[in-house]
């Protein structure tokens, strides 16, 4: 397993949700993807985080239990010491088994 990901146990997919999240603000070059990864792992979230071409956006896909994903999204507002999250855009979808861990993706 590489240092960018960690496996998470996702048991019954019937109580799982998936969110496509866009973080907007000063979120690139400030350790945000690593922060998101750590929050995801501590909240049993699978998916990924990656910078978008627009310098003020980070894309996150987060899957897991509804309560965990809700808490994860609330925690994203805090950001890192150097970041400033101005907006969080969330689109909900059905959970897919596409992800078994949370990882940082490159463009």
């Amino acid at each position: 397993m590489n240092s960018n990901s960690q496996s998470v146990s996702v048991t019954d997919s019937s109580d799982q949700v998936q969110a496509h999240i866009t973080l907007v603000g000063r979120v690139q070059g400030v350790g945000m993807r690593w922060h998101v990864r750590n929050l995801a792992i501590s909240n049993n979230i699978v998916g990924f985080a990656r910078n978008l071409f627009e310098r003020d956006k980070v894309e996150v896909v987060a899957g897991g239990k509804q309560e965990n994903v809700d808490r994860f999204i609330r925690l994203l507002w805090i950001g890192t010491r150097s970041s400033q999250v101005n907006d969080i855009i969330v689109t909900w979808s059905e959970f897919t088994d596409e992800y078994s861990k949370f990882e940082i993706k490159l463009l």
Side-chain angles (χ1 to χ4, degrees), residues 1 9-10 44 70 74 101:
M1 178 183 326
S9 175
V10 178
N44 293 319
D70 288 340
R74 285 192 306 272
K101 59 189 171 195

Side-chain angles (χ1 to χ4, degrees), residues 39 79 92-93:
L39 286 176
W92 294 95
S93 62

Side-chain angles (χ1 to χ4, degrees), residues 13-53:
S13 65
S14 65
D15 66 343
Q16 309 290 316
V17 296
Q18 190 161 296
H20 182 266
I21 305 162
T22 304
L23 304 176
V24 182
R26 189 172 60 241
V27 293
Q28 290 191 23
V30 292
M32 193 64 169
R33 290 174 299 156
W34 287 99
H35 176 68
V36 169
R37 175 193 171 270
N38 291 337
L39 286 176
I41 291 168
S42 67
N43 284 282
N44 293 319
I45 301 293
V46 297
F48 69 85
R50 71 175 162 204
N51 287 339
L52 294 177
F53 284 110

Side-chain angles (χ1 to χ4, degrees), residues 55-106:
R55 292 283 309 152
D56 65 341
K57 294 182 180 164
V58 168
E59 176 185 27
V60 179
V61 170
K65 288 187 176 182
Q66 179 77 57
E67 63 203 40
N68 293 353
V69 177
D70 288 340
R71 180 176 47 250
F72 172 73
I73 292 169
R74 285 192 306 272
L75 291 169
L76 291 174
W77 280 104
I78 298 169
T80 66
R81 179 173 293 193
S82 302
S83 70
Q84 180 177 343
V85 179
N86 296 330
D87 197 9
I88 296 178
I89 302 162
V90 180
T91 305
W92 294 95
S93 62
E94 289 186 27
F95 181 79
T96 65
D97 292 335
E98 184 176 351
Y99 309 104
S100 62
K101 59 189 171 195
F102 196 90
E103 60 188 350
I104 295 174
K105 289 189 174 184
L106 301 176

